[in-house]
Amino acid sequence: MTPARPPAEYLRFAYTTLQRLLDACRTAFFRALVARMGRQVRISRGTILSCPRRLVIGDNVFVNMGCMLHAEGGLSIGDDTEIGPYTVIWTTNHVFDRTDRLIRAQGERHAPVVIEPDVWIGASAIILPGVTLGQGAVVGAGAVVTKDVPPYGVVAGNPAALIKTRAAPGEDDELTRAEAGARPRRTRST
Ligand SMILES: CC(C)(COP(=O)(O)OP(=O)(O)OC[C@H]1O[C@@H](n2cnc3c(N)ncnc32)[C@H](O)[C@@H]1OP(=O)(O)O)[C@@H](O)C(=O)NCCC(=O)NCCS
């Protein structure tokens, strides 16, 4: 006789709890490596930090699974930012000005990426060196961001272009940042 399978709810609970435990261990490990990490940060599975000593992470930041955060040129991630799965953030370019030398012999140029507070980056976005994402900006899934995004701007595409601007706080009926901060953090299944 086949043994009864545990109820789906039990399995779901066990899986979510395990993932949260692993996320907590991973985040604690990364905390020891980065320049600074705020409170209530969660870094999901498969995320890679390159040059973590140049990485600054604010409070309430969520980095979804499989991200590549390259911080050699300096990377700062503002409070309350959410980074979608498989996002790549890069802070270095190879120099390729000369044709009489190999590209790999010409060195690298670094430029910092600055992510201001309350930014949402959609899945599989690529943020290139030197870019600043203004406060409250949204980056669409799969966008390749080559230029600065203004505060509350929404960009999408390759190269990313402004598709709309969000209403600034106080200009619409949505929660203000202060109210949002008072709400309990959403539960995530990943
Ligand atoms: C960027 C985004 C937030 C915009 O959502 P929205 O405000 O509802 O925008 P709309 O759907 O009205 O789209 C507006 C226009 O932008 C285009 N657009 C939207 N998202 C796009 C994207 N990611 N890439 C390219 N174009 C996009 C739409 O096709 C539409 O073009 P049109 O005006 O020519 O028809 C959303 O499309 C998106 O990419 N979300 C990310 C989802 C995700 O990654 N989730 C998991 C991560 S946690």
Side-chain angles (χ1 to χ4, degrees):
M1 198 171 118
T2 7
R5 289 170 59 182
E9 273 159 46
Y10 172 80
L11 291 175
R12 203 164 29 241
F13 174 77
Y15 181 78
T16 306
T17 306
L18 177 65
Q19 288 304 335
R20 285 184 171 272
L21 194 63
L22 292 172
D23 284 358
C25 294
R26 183 180 311 104
T27 305
F29 178 72
F30 285 163
R31 184 180 291 279
L33 301 177
V34 300
R36 195 179 82 75
M37 185 186 286
R39 291 167 297 144
Q40 300 291 323
V41 172
R42 186 174 157 207
I43 300 179
S44 290
R45 60 189 178 276
T47 286
I48 295 170
L49 308 185
S50 174
C51 292
R53 66 187 185 287
R54 305 223 53 208
L55 173 59
V56 172
I57 304 180
D59 295 336
N60 301 313
V61 169
F62 176 57
V63 181
N64 211 317
M65 68 182 105
C67 292
M68 171 71 192
L69 307 182
H70 175 265
E72 193 170 3
L75 170 58
S76 88
I77 301 174
D79 296 345
D80 303 297
T81 284
E82 310 238 330
I83 300 183
Y86 306 108
T87 289
V88 172
I89 301 177
W90 215 264
T91 58
T92 292
N93 272 317
H94 283 282
V95 177
F96 53 89
D97 301 337
R98 294 173 59 169
T99 52
D100 59 338
R101 295 181 67 182
L102 296 172
I103 291 174
R104 67 180 174 80
Q106 296 186 49
E108 296 177 336
R109 256 185 221 122
H110 306 298
V113 168
V114 176
I115 302 174
E116 293 182 352
D118 189 28
V119 167
W120 173 35
I121 301 176
S124 299
I126 301 177
I127 316 294
L128 293 180
V131 161
T132 293
L133 304 180
Q135 172 161 347
V138 173
V139 175
V144 179
V145 186
T146 58
K147 297 191 170 78
D148 293 355
V149 178
Y152 305 104
V154 180
V155 296
N158 178 8
L162 197 67
I163 59 170
K164 59 175 80 169
T165 301
R166 298 172 60 211
E171 287 179 15
D172 61 15
D173 293 326
E174 289 185 16
L175 288 172
T176 61
R177 273 177 53 73
E179 285 167 335
R183 285 192 312 170
R185 217 162 145 63
R186 290 197 305 277
T187 308
R188 292 190 179 80
S189 55
T190 51

